[in-house]
């Protein structure tokens, strides 16, 4: 296997005979952010006591009927718009029939032939340039409940709290070519949906999970190889591991002259391998047919227009604006728009302080601190307003970068305002030329010997003098001014 | 106190209003009748105590402005009733007690009626003779060897035997109209979406409709008015103003155009059915209606279409009966799959199993296009036949069944001959149209026969009016001797 170089795509699997390209398509299941379920009024809150958020509809009692939750429909349309996709004003709910203990109806209500959202696209910024990933479709469906097998040796328990929660299944085209692209794609989808407020993207809670389709083909081949589907992978890291394992497995099969069977596989996270779950022959016949309890979903064009108008600025647009208005580079802009909250924080600071310096400090010290404390930006101990003051103090020369780091530490610990910290601790930079000249004069007088050496050509000693000035000023001497004055004095 | 249980609902309401009889007295009369009619096997569950409580509540604080003031009613056991066992005629729901009330029954109770008990029916409403019920077959009061029709056979039998002043059934392919005809009573299947399906055990969702079963057309209009109405809990419910069918009932049908579809003159149709139909035409003509010959060319495909669509939907609707959450669960089986298999094997009867298998088959990959999809297309053609003709006629008159009530056991070994019983009734279900069956004569054995009027979408008032005019002018006498007492 060959790694990724900075500016050229070169992910492929090296076999004994040939090199292989990896083809990946994802079916992402994103839980819709909504108060209630897709077809019932039950709460969708995560982590509730088992079976306490279950209506008669969710548990499929006799005579119960589904009624579509309009908010879930709007969320799907918003997401479709965010994916630059075609919104289908006519879509149909179908029944996908299969038996399982956590599927009370004996069928899942989903959309099969007529999804609510059609083709769209997502842009990825890869180190080797921008890459477009096609979206095949997005459809609405019900989530199943949860079977719990490890509470009792001989019984399975069922929790239906999740049963009936709305999912958006977002199907990509087979356009992804590496685990890194999968990483970028999932992050981008997540970012778009979080901007839109249509999915919280919380992978630990299962709000975002994916089925991963993997196939390989010899470099240069036009035809796709036989694919395997790896079911229900719930972290980016596991997706990447599963793809690497699966691609290598397929290449090994091909190289030894064997065939790849189209099948559904499971990723064992403990053993880091994929295992066959069922073959194509054993595949379920889901007997899809239009759900007669629900009329086809017809969207008023005005509804779609209104949703379009009320769409927030999305990461791609915002990135362009950040580059144009704030003079950021692509990398900085990408990082700062990755989360809506980060971009908001940045803009709040940058509109009153130096834009570039804000970016540098956010991506440096601020992110490092948040990372270390495992906080997200909305939980930051430093408010945007205080952070802006800190940046202003650096920019105006009131404090040096080095002092600023100290102020930053104190801000994190005390939550105090930077001005107050600078003043109370006397950390203000010494920028009065007369004061500095006086100080430097004294230092030079004390070390006459070194001054002579310098003047005799030992110019390396300049740093020594700067150090002495900083030491004497408690680090507060304005470095630029210090340099200028030292140079002036040492010339004499 | 006179026994007024053989009178029409309308007459009984008048006597309640005039305080000739109290609700408690009335309820006691029906309870007595029910206790004397165990041979008919019409009731699966009785709710006498609760009924007497409700009757007393009514008498203590009567509201005579209601449509059904203080009226005890027994209903088909397909309607979920709060705290009263609801079985759908199946072993798999043998022990099922809902915590909720179906919208249709709630509407009845909100109009002053209360529950007397739950009436036997074919298992999951699958049957035309009430012989598929887990609780045994129901006997037609018309004759002790006769089926009462199905699937609302308990309802038709109880009504004809004066065990309830009126009742409600459900009609997926004729399950109200055929039993009504077999017992000499009136049954109406409303426009699809007029009555809420919420809380009714589902058979085939795109065809199921609840409707009234009564002794007279007036009663039918009254019951329909009480039970119908928009329900936001049913996505297929039609949003419209409530109609006053009983107040607007008129017997003037002068100038109305009645279509006679030639395709309903089927092969081997008994002469007496033909005679009945001719006589019906004559009565309507004499009342000033115009009789117009029409053609519904896709009629012959209706039955096969129905027997694809209905089982397909049923196979999916009945998947929820898996023993996991409610109803029967087999004690046998070492894993989930075996538990399913045993539960469903023990829980469902043969006819239900047959339809689940047919439905599963027609939806299977490789067969879907040839069966289910084609049936859906034909269904559209059948609907179009009606649409085309309803620009020319106001209603369509047909026989409601190809024969009178048949003998118990006569058709149980031959499902197809049983299915053929629905031949005149299924087209209205496939097209979602209202249709009323009403008594129109007796055959040579003295068994009742019925005619059917099919109307335009939401044109219930018109077919009620025509049936009302017919009823007034048809010398039909359905005197039933109470041989079972």
């Amino acid at each position: 296997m060959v790694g990724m170089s900075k500016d050229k795509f070169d992910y492929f699997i090296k076999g004994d005979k040939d090199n292989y390209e990896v083809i990946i398509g994802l079916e992402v299941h994103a839980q819709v952010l909504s108060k209630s379920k897709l077809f019932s009024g039950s709460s969708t809150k995560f982590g509730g006591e088992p079976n306490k958020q279950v209506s008669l509809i969710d548990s499929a009692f006799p005579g119960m009927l589904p009624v579509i939750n309009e908010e879930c429909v709007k969320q799907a349309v918003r997401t479709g718009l965010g994916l630059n996709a075609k919104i289908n004003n006519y879509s149909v709910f179908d029944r996908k029939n299969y038996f399982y203990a956590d599927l009370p109806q004996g069928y899942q209500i989903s959309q099969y032939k007529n999804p609510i959202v059609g083709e769209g696209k997502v842009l990825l910024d890869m180190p080797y340039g921008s890459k477009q990933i096609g979206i095949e479709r997005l459809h609405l469906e019900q989530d199943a409940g949860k079977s719990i097998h490890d509470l009792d040796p001989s019984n399975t328990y069922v929790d239906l709290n999740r049963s009936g929660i709305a999912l958006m299944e977002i199907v990509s085209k087979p356009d992804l070519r590496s685990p890194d692209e999968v990483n970028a794609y999932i992050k981008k989808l997540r970012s778009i949906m979080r901007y839109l407020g249509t999915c919280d993207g919380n992978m630990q809670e299962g709000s975002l999970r994916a089925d991963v389709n993997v196939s390989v083909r010899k470099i240069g081949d036009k035809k796709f190889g036989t694919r395997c589907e790896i079911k229900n992978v719930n972290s980016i890291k596991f997706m990447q591991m599963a793809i690497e394992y699966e691609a290598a497995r397929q290449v090994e099969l091909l190289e030894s002259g064997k065939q790849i069977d189209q099948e559904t596989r499971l990723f064992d996270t403990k053993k880091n391998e994929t295992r066959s779950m069922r073959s194509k022959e054993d595949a379920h016949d889901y007997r899809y047919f239009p759900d007669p309890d629900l009329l086809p979903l017809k969207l008023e064009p005005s509804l779609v227009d209104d949703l379009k108008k009320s769409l927030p600025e999305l990461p791609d647009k915002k990135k362009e604006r950040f580059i144009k208005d704030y003079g950021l580079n692509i990398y900085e802009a990408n990082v700062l728009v990755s989360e809506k909250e980060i971009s908001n924080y940045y803009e709040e600071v940058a509109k009153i302080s130096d834009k570039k310096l804000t970016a540098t400090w956010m991506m440096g010290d601020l992110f490092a601190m948040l990372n270390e404390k495992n906080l997200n930006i909305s939980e930051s101990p430093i408010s945007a307003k205080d952070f802006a003051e800190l940046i202003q103090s650096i920019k105006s020369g009131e404090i040096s970068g080095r002092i600023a780091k100290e102020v930053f530490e104190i801000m994190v610990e005390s939550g105090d305002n930077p001005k107050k910290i600078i003043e109370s601790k006397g950390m203000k930079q010494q920028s009065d030329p007369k004061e500095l000249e006086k100080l430097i004069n004294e230092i030079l007088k004390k070390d006459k010997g070194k001054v002579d050496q310098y003047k005799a050509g030992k110019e390396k000693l300049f740093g020594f003098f700067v150090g002495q000035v900083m030491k004497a000023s408690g680090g507060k001497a304005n470095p630029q001014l210090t340099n200028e004055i030292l140079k002036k004095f040492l010339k004499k | 106190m006179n026994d007024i249980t053989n009178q029409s609902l309308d007459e009984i309401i008048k006597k309640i209003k005039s305080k000739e009889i109290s609700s408690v007295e009335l309820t006691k009369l029906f309870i007595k009748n029910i206790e004397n009619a165990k041979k008919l096997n019409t009731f699966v569950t009785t709710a006498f105590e609760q009924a007497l409580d409700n009757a007393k509540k009514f008498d203590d604080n009567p509201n005579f402005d209601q449509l059904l003031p203080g009226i005890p009613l027994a209903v088909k056991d397909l309607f979920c009733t709060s705290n009263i066992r609801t079985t759908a005629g199946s072993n798999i729901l043998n022990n099922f007690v809902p915590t909720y009330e179906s919208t249709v029954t709630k509407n009845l109770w909100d109009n002053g009626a209360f529950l007397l008990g739950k009436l036997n029916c074919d298992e999951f409403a699958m049957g035309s003779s009430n012989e598929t019920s887990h609780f045994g077959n129901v006997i037609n009061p018309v004759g002790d060897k006769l089926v009462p029709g199905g699937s609302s056979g308990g309802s038709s039998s109880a009504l004809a035997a004066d065990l309830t002043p009126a009742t409600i059934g459900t009609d997926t392919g004729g399950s109200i109209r055929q039993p009504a005809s077999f017992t000499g009573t009136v049954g109406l299947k409303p426009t699809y979406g007029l009555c809420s399906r919420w809380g009714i055990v589902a058979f085939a969702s795109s065809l199921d409709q609840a409707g009234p079963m009564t002794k007279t057309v007036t009663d039918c209009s009254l019951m329909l008015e009480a039970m119908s109405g928009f329900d936001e809990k049913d996505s297929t419910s039609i949003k419209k103003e409530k109609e006053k069918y009983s107040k607007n009932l008129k017997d003037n049908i002068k100038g109305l155009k009645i279509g006679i579809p030639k395709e309903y003159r089927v092969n081997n149709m008994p002469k007496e059915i033909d005679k009945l139909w001719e006589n019906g035409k004559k009565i309507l003509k004499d009342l000033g209606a115009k009789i117009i010959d029409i053609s519904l060319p896709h009629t012959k495909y209706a039955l096969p279409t129905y027997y694809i669509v209905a089982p397909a939907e049923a196979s999916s609707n009945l998947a929820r009966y898996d023993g996991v959450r409610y109803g029967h669960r087999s004690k046998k089986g070492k894993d989930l799959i075996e538990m399913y298999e045993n539960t469903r094997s023990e829980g469902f009867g043969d006819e239900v199993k047959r339809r689940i298998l047919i439905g599963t088959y027609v939806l299977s990959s490789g067969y879907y296009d040839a069966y289910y999809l084609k049936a859906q297309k034909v269904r559209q053609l059948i609907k179009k036949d009606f649409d085309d003709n309803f620009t020319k006629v106001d209603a369509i008159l047909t026989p409601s069944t190809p024969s009178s009530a048949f003998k118990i056991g006569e058709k149980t070994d031959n499902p197809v001959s049983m299915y053929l019983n629905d031949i005149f009734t299924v087209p209205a279900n496939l097209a979602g149209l209202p249709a009323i069956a009403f008594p129109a004569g007796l055959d040579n054995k003295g068994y009742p026969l019925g005619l059917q009027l099919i109307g335009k979408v939401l044109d219930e008032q018109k077919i009620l009016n025509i049936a009302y005019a017919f009823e007034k002018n048809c010398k039909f006498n359905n005197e039933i001797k109470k041989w079972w007492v």
Side-chain angles (χ1 to χ4, degrees):
Chain A
M1 212 172 301
V2 178
M4 188 97 66
S5 84
K6 200 77 178 117
D7 50 4
K8 193 168 162 282
F9 175 83
D10 62 355
Y11 183 85
F12 56 88
I13 310 285
K14 221 171 150 62
D16 290 335
K17 298 167 192 157
D18 297 286
N19 287 337
Y20 294 80
E21 189 182 15
V22 184
I23 316 289
I24 307 153
L26 291 186
E27 290 163 27
V28 170
H29 297 265
Q31 243 177 37
V32 174
L33 262 184
S34 64
K35 284 200 186 73
S36 49
K37 296 181 179 180
L38 184 53
F39 296 112
S40 82
S42 315
S43 166
T44 57
K45 229 173 137 211
F46 179 80
E49 207 184 312
N51 295 314
K52 290 287 177 191
Q53 289 152 219
V54 186
S55 74
L56 294 165
I57 297 170
D58 309 323
S59 45
F61 269 65
M64 291 300 103
L65 299 171
V67 176
I68 186 79
N69 177 344
E70 231 174 273
E71 183 53 25
C72 295
V73 172
K74 287 182 183 167
Q75 292 289 58
V77 172
R78 286 187 189 108
T79 308
L81 292 169
L83 299 174
N84 305 298
K86 183 176 178 291
I87 305 300
N88 294 325
N89 289 338
Y90 177 91
S91 67
V92 176
F93 285 101
D94 297 278
R95 291 185 183 178
K96 179 180 180 178
N97 295 283
Y98 65 96
F99 282 97
Y100 204 63
D102 58 23
L103 187 76
Q105 293 164 142
Y107 54 84
Q108 176 195 35
I109 305 178
S110 181
Q111 295 189 302
Y112 185 50
K113 282 186 183 151
N114 298 285
I116 185 165
V117 175
E119 290 191 328
K121 55 181 186 285
V122 168
L123 272 181
L124 306 183
D125 272 311
M126 300 308 295
Y128 37 88
S130 171
K131 176 160 180 178
Q132 183 177 307
I133 305 299
I135 299 292
E136 178 74 37
R137 60 185 279 165
L138 176 156
H139 69 250
L140 276 168
E141 63 183 27
Q142 297 175 299
D143 208 342
K146 266 185 201 156
S147 290
I148 304 154
H149 302 288
D150 53 5
L151 275 181
D152 186 285
S154 55
N155 289 299
T156 293
Y157 287 82
V158 175
D159 176 7
L160 295 179
N161 281 355
R162 206 178 65 183
S163 165
I165 290 183
L167 290 180
M168 296 180 282
E169 179 169 327
I170 304 168
V171 183
S172 83
K173 302 218 181 226
D175 289 349
L176 297 156
R177 293 291 178 271
S178 72
D180 276 353
E181 289 187 0
V182 167
N183 175 45
Y185 173 74
I186 296 278
K187 283 188 173 152
K188 189 61 178 279
L189 271 190
R190 187 175 176 275
S191 166
I192 291 170
M193 291 191 289
R194 285 176 57 88
Y195 264 75
L196 292 165
T198 58
C199 171
D200 66 18
N202 192 330
M203 297 187 90
Q204 282 92 45
E205 292 178 4
S207 310
L208 197 68
R209 33 192 218 269
D211 300 338
V212 186
N213 284 286
V214 180
S215 68
V216 298
R217 68 179 172 196
K218 280 182 204 164
I219 289 180
D221 274 4
K222 289 275 179 291
K223 234 183 108 205
F224 287 136
T226 305
R227 70 188 154 86
C228 289
E229 183 183 17
I230 309 157
K231 275 272 174 212
N232 216 9
V233 194
N234 61 6
S235 88
I236 295 179
K237 202 179 123 220
F238 290 151
M239 285 177 209
Q240 294 182 308
M241 285 158 68
I243 291 164
E244 295 206 0
Y245 175 88
E246 181 58 22
R249 185 188 72 90
Q250 292 184 13
V251 167
E252 215 175 286
L253 278 173
L254 291 177
E255 293 257 309
S256 58
K258 289 181 186 137
Q259 271 198 332
I260 291 158
D261 296 325
Q262 187 175 333
E263 60 182 359
T264 304
R265 299 178 70 83
L266 275 179
F267 182 63
D268 184 327
T269 55
K270 289 190 186 92
K271 291 186 181 158
N272 184 21
E273 62 180 28
T274 66
R275 268 202 311 272
S276 182
M277 194 171 139
R278 55 178 179 256
S279 70
K280 197 184 175 187
E281 289 71 41
D282 301 332
H284 287 301
D285 181 355
Y286 289 120
R287 290 172 281 122
Y288 281 100
F289 75 107
D291 191 331
D293 286 333
L294 292 160
L295 299 172
L297 185 60
K298 288 174 186 160
L299 301 178
E300 292 293 331
S302 63
L303 172 88
V304 180
D305 287 344
D306 288 349
L307 290 174
K308 206 180 233 167
K309 275 179 212 144
S310 65
L311 232 48
E313 185 184 35
L314 292 174
D316 284 343
K317 275 268 162 61
K318 191 169 271 186
K319 185 183 80 184
E320 278 171 34
R321 187 165 62 78
F322 276 19
I323 292 170
K324 196 166 143 265
D325 293 359
Y326 299 137
L328 303 181
N329 62 36
I330 293 179
Y331 173 71
E332 290 168 330
N334 259 332
V335 173
L336 292 175
V337 303
S338 64
E339 294 271 355
K340 193 172 162 185
E341 291 75 17
I342 291 175
S343 70
N344 288 345
Y345 191 100
Y346 172 74
E347 283 208 278
E348 216 179 315
V349 177
K351 72 184 174 211
I352 47 171
S353 357
D354 185 80
K355 287 137 187 71
K356 199 78 182 174
L357 200 58
T358 303
T360 312
W361 269 81
M362 266 185 79
M363 292 165 66
D365 295 68
L366 186 70
F367 284 1
M369 178 272 294
L370 293 175
N371 230 348
E372 193 193 324
K373 292 190 179 293
N374 200 14
L375 298 173
N376 60 46
I377 194 130
S378 46
E379 302 162 323
S380 169
I382 300 179
S383 71
K385 195 174 144 276
D386 285 350
F387 194 68
E389 273 184 24
L390 179 69
I391 303 292
Q392 283 162 349
S393 301
I394 303 166
K395 185 64 185 175
S396 69
E398 197 182 337
I399 53 171
S400 68
R402 205 169 63 80
I403 293 287
K405 282 186 195 287
E406 278 178 46
V407 176
F408 181 86
E409 295 293 330
I410 299 167
M411 286 169 79
V412 172
E413 269 150 47
S414 67
D416 277 347
N417 164 283
K419 285 250 153 68
K420 194 178 143 201
I421 296 167
I422 293 166
E423 244 156 63
S424 69
K425 307 228 168 190
M427 295 166 102
K428 215 170 200 166
Q429 187 155 269
Q430 215 166 318
S431 297
D432 182 345
K434 275 185 189 150
E435 294 266 320
L436 262 183
E437 278 180 15
K438 205 173 136 200
L439 182 80
I440 290 172
N441 224 346
E442 275 168 29
I443 288 166
L444 295 183
K445 264 184 198 157
K446 249 194 269 171
D447 252 320
K448 194 98 179 47
K450 289 226 164 69
V451 174
D452 290 341
Q453 284 176 28
Y454 178 85
K455 283 185 178 167
K458 204 169 176 188
E459 286 186 6
K460 272 187 188 162
L461 279 170
F462 191 79
F464 166 77
F465 294 122
V466 174
Q468 290 301 102
V469 176
M470 286 301 166
K471 201 171 151 194
S473 69
K476 285 177 286 183
N478 181 321
Q480 213 182 331
L481 212 54
T482 304
N483 277 354
E484 281 168 25
I485 295 168
L486 268 175
K487 271 182 192 155
K488 192 171 78 186
F489 282 10
L490 289 168
K491 244 185 219 168
K492 284 173 191 170
Chain B
M1 188 175 57
N2 292 324
D3 186 354
I4 59 163
T5 55
N6 65 341
Q7 296 181 6
S8 71
L9 172 68
D10 182 44
E11 289 296 325
I12 291 172
I13 290 171
K14 277 180 194 150
K15 293 195 164 81
I16 286 268
K17 285 186 177 175
S18 66
K19 299 186 180 169
E20 230 171 282
I21 191 166
S22 71
S23 178
V24 169
E25 287 165 340
L26 179 71
T27 305
K28 282 181 175 164
L29 286 176
F30 279 109
I31 290 174
K32 195 180 118 215
N33 285 4
I34 295 163
E35 282 175 336
N36 287 333
K38 292 207 168 119
K39 265 185 212 159
L40 299 178
N41 196 29
T42 50
F43 278 75
V44 174
T45 306
T46 55
F48 295 159
E49 222 171 288
Q50 182 190 299
L52 286 167
D53 276 355
N54 282 318
K56 188 167 181 304
K57 268 186 212 148
F58 177 85
D59 289 338
D60 289 348
N61 189 15
N63 175 359
F64 296 113
D65 296 332
Q66 290 170 305
L67 276 175
L68 305 167
I71 300 296
L73 290 176
V75 303
K76 187 177 185 179
D77 205 15
L78 212 65
F79 295 90
C80 289
T81 42
S82 184
N83 296 317
I84 300 287
R85 180 170 76 139
T86 299
T87 69
S90 181
N91 186 32
I92 212 157
L93 287 176
N94 199 352
N95 59 7
F96 177 63
V97 180
T99 56
Y100 47 93
E101 187 75 33
S102 83
T103 299
V104 159
T105 47
K106 183 176 182 296
N107 288 345
L108 295 177
W109 316 151
D110 287 349
N111 277 297
F114 50 83
L115 183 70
L116 195 49
K118 305 297 290 290
L119 297 168
N120 207 339
C121 59
D122 278 302
E123 186 178 7
F124 286 100
M126 297 176 189
S128 305
S129 63
N130 216 116
E131 290 168 292
T132 73
S133 169
H134 171 69
F135 302 94
N137 60 286
V138 172
I139 290 163
N140 190 337
V142 167
D144 69 351
K145 301 274 187 309
L146 297 179
V147 302
S151 64
S152 312
S155 299
S156 65
S157 177
L159 178 67
D162 302 332
L163 311 184
T164 179
T167 183
I168 53 173
T170 60
D171 189 317
T172 305
S175 282
I176 285 175
R177 292 161 286 160
Q178 184 251 24
S181 293
F182 278 15
T183 52
T185 55
V186 178
L188 185 144
K189 182 204 89 74
T191 302
Y192 184 76
L194 187 71
C195 293
S196 170
R197 292 185 295 113
W198 194 88
I200 303 174
V201 176
F203 163 14
S205 311
S206 75
L207 301 159
D208 294 346
Q209 260 299 291
M213 298 173 78
T214 56
K215 289 178 179 168
T216 67
V217 176
T218 306
D219 292 357
C220 187
S221 65
L222 204 61
M223 287 289 285
L224 182 64
E225 194 174 320
M227 71 194 287
S228 61
F230 173 69
D231 180 9
E232 61 181 12
K233 289 187 286 188
D234 174 359
S235 307
T236 60
S237 175
I238 297 172
K239 205 168 192 168
K240 67 180 271 291
E241 288 285 305
K242 249 180 114 67
E243 282 190 56
K244 298 206 180 309
Y245 301 109
S246 55
K247 201 181 140 209
N248 296 330
L249 199 63
K250 287 187 200 86
D251 61 0
N252 183 355
I253 59 164
K254 257 193 199 105
L256 286 186
K257 286 171 245 162
I258 309 294
I260 307 295
K262 64 175 184 206
E263 290 80 6
Y264 280 60
R265 185 157 283 111
V266 292
N267 289 340
N268 309 323
M269 188 155 84
K271 275 217 178 79
E272 45 201 11
I273 299 288
D274 209 22
K275 213 179 96 196
L276 181 88
W277 199 5
E278 286 304 317
N279 190 43
K281 283 197 285 191
K282 189 178 170 295
I283 290 175
L284 294 181
K285 202 175 170 186
D286 291 347
L287 287 166
K290 281 186 198 141
I291 304 298
I292 298 170
D293 286 326
I294 61 165
S295 168
L296 299 164
H298 296 93
T299 300
K300 66 177 167 195
Y301 302 115
L303 203 61
T305 299
Y306 173 82
Y307 275 98
I308 290 170
V309 174
E313 293 181 9
S315 71
S316 175
N317 280 338
L318 269 58
R320 65 187 56 198
Y321 306 106
D322 58 7
V324 174
R325 298 165 311 286
Y326 51 79
H328 173 73
R329 182 198 286 197
S330 176
K331 290 181 177 62
K332 291 180 280 176
K334 61 177 191 298
D335 58 19
L336 183 66
I337 301 291
E338 279 190 15
M339 190 277 277
Y340 283 156
E341 286 171 352
N342 293 325
T343 295
R344 290 167 67 83
S345 295
E346 294 160 12
F348 292 138
D350 286 350
E351 184 59 28
V352 170
K353 284 176 193 163
R354 183 179 295 124
R355 298 207 197 185
I356 289 174
L357 287 174
I358 295 171
T360 304
Y361 178 78
V362 299
L363 287 175
S364 295
S365 147
Y367 300 98
Y368 180 90
D369 288 358
Y371 293 104
Y372 185 77
L373 196 64
K374 187 166 265 177
Q376 287 297 359
K377 287 177 183 164
V378 175
R379 188 174 177 181
Q380 290 309 310
L381 293 175
I382 289 165
K383 197 169 173 296
K384 194 174 171 294
D385 280 355
F386 282 109
D387 290 346
D388 291 347
N389 280 287
F390 276 129
T391 60
K392 293 177 272 183
V393 299
D394 294 291
I396 293 167
L397 181 75
T398 77
S400 35
T401 54
S403 75
S404 62
F406 46 86
K407 285 207 175 67
I408 292 166
E410 189 182 316
K411 293 180 195 279
T412 40
D413 294 335
N414 187 348
V416 174
S417 91
M418 186 75 90
Y419 295 170
L420 281 168
N421 238 273
D422 303 335
I423 194 154
F424 299 137
T425 46
V426 292
N429 298 83
L430 289 168
L433 300 171
I436 186 169
F438 47 94
L442 302 172
D443 69 359
N444 52 17
K445 288 169 277 186
Y447 302 161
L449 292 169
L451 285 172
Q452 170 181 238
L453 278 160
I454 305 171
K456 294 177 200 178
V457 165
L458 295 176
D459 212 9
E460 275 79 1
Q461 188 71 61
K462 201 175 282 164
I463 55 171
L464 280 166
N465 288 350
I466 301 169
Y468 183 50
F470 184 96
E471 182 184 63
K472 280 191 165 179
N473 290 278
C474 169
K475 288 168 205 78
F476 175 77
N477 187 356
N478 191 28
E479 197 89 358
I480 293 175
K481 282 205 194 89
K482 296 197 171 160
W483 53 264
W484 57 87
V485 179

